[in-house]
């Protein structure tokens, strides 16, 4: 296992637009018995309800959603560019049919009830605060449905999860 050090949130100098959208992240959730992770390029960081938070969006049909719903914690894991193929793999393959960690060679660690990916170089550990289903009725701009959901899911399109940032770690 790699050695991570706490990273003070007041020293955080990342661009969330490139870090999340361009570099992507793995969202990991689960318990000591089973963990799943998925690639995500939607989310953000900020302050809500007086807490430092991360927010993520997970499609209803994603297997990782079941883990986030059952557990109180999740992590946002960021990597060096050399892991881009692993991130692609975690975004395409479902954990319902194979163990993505075993197949990829990436390893899971735990800290304060949150699973994380040991090969990451930057971690945001979160305690789940809210789960908010997003439906088509929430869209004020009709182009959202047309561009992002055309021919796809009906009903709850994504769930927005808000997590209190409990710790940031870096290698």
């Amino acid at each position: 296992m790699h050695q991570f050090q706490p990273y003070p949130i007041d020293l955080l100098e990342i661009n969330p637009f490139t870090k999340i959208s361009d570099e992507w992240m793995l969202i990991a959730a689960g318990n000591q018995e089973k963990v799943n992770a998925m690639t995500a390029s939607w989310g953000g960081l900020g302050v809500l309800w007086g807490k430092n938070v991360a927010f993520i969006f997970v499609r209803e049909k994603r297997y990782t959603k079941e883990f986030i719903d059952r557990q109180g914690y999740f992590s946002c894991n960021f990597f060096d560019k050399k892991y881009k193929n692993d991130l692609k793999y975690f975004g395409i393959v479902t954990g319902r049919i194979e163990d993505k960690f075993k197949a990829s060679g990436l390893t899971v660690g735990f800290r304060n009830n949150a699973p994380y990916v040991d090969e990451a170089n930057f971690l945001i550990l979160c305690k789940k605060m809210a789960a908010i289903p997003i439906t088509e009725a929430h869209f004020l701009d009709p182009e959202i449905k047309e561009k992002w959901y055309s021919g796809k899911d009906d009903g709850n399109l994504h769930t927005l999860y808000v997590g209190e940032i409990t710790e940031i770690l870096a290698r």
Side-chain angles (χ1 to χ4, degrees):
M1 298 301 271
H2 293 96
Q3 187 68 18
F4 286 93
Q5 300 297 320
Y7 194 100
I9 201 162
D10 58 330
L11 298 179
L12 188 61
E13 291 186 13
I14 64 166
N15 180 336
F17 300 102
T18 56
K19 186 61 94 179
I20 296 169
S21 180
D22 297 338
E23 297 177 26
W24 307 339
M25 63 181 161
L26 284 185
I27 299 168
N31 57 31
Q32 295 286 345
E33 295 174 16
K34 184 149 176 81
V35 173
N36 199 59
M38 60 172 267
T39 303
S41 62
W42 290 8
L45 305 170
V47 178
L48 183 62
W49 303 315
K51 307 231 183 230
N52 296 319
V53 299
F55 55 93
I56 58 173
F57 298 83
V58 180
R59 274 195 185 277
E60 283 297 305
K61 63 171 88 173
R62 293 301 297 257
Y63 187 48
T64 303
K65 184 181 185 314
E66 296 175 25
F67 291 78
I68 297 170
D69 288 342
R70 280 195 303 263
Q71 304 302 319
Y73 297 86
F74 63 89
S75 66
C76 301
N77 302 263
F78 299 91
F79 298 81
D80 290 331
K81 290 179 183 178
K82 69 181 181 179
Y83 290 99
K84 195 70 166 189
N85 284 334
D86 291 306
L87 292 169
K88 287 178 185 176
Y89 168 76
F90 272 77
I92 295 169
V93 173
T94 177
R96 283 187 181 95
I97 59 173
E98 68 180 75
D99 183 335
K100 293 191 273 188
F101 285 101
K102 186 176 181 180
S104 70
L106 298 182
T107 52
V108 175
F110 278 87
R111 185 172 173 112
N112 300 328
N113 298 314
Y116 65 87
V117 183
D118 190 56
E119 289 75 14
N121 61 9
F122 184 75
L123 310 170
I124 300 175
L125 306 181
C126 298
K127 180 180 180 184
K128 189 171 60 173
M129 295 175 66
I132 304 152
I134 298 174
T135 66
E136 187 177 347
H138 293 108
F139 301 148
L140 302 179
D141 179 348
E143 290 183 18
I144 294 171
K145 170 74 173 168
E146 187 177 305
K147 181 176 181 178
W148 298 103
Y149 300 100
S150 181
K152 296 182 182 170
D153 303 317
D154 291 323
N156 291 330
L157 307 172
H158 275 88
T159 296
L160 160 62
Y161 292 96
V162 179
E164 176 185 0
I165 298 173
T166 59
E167 193 168 22
I168 296 177
L169 302 167
R171 282 198 283 137

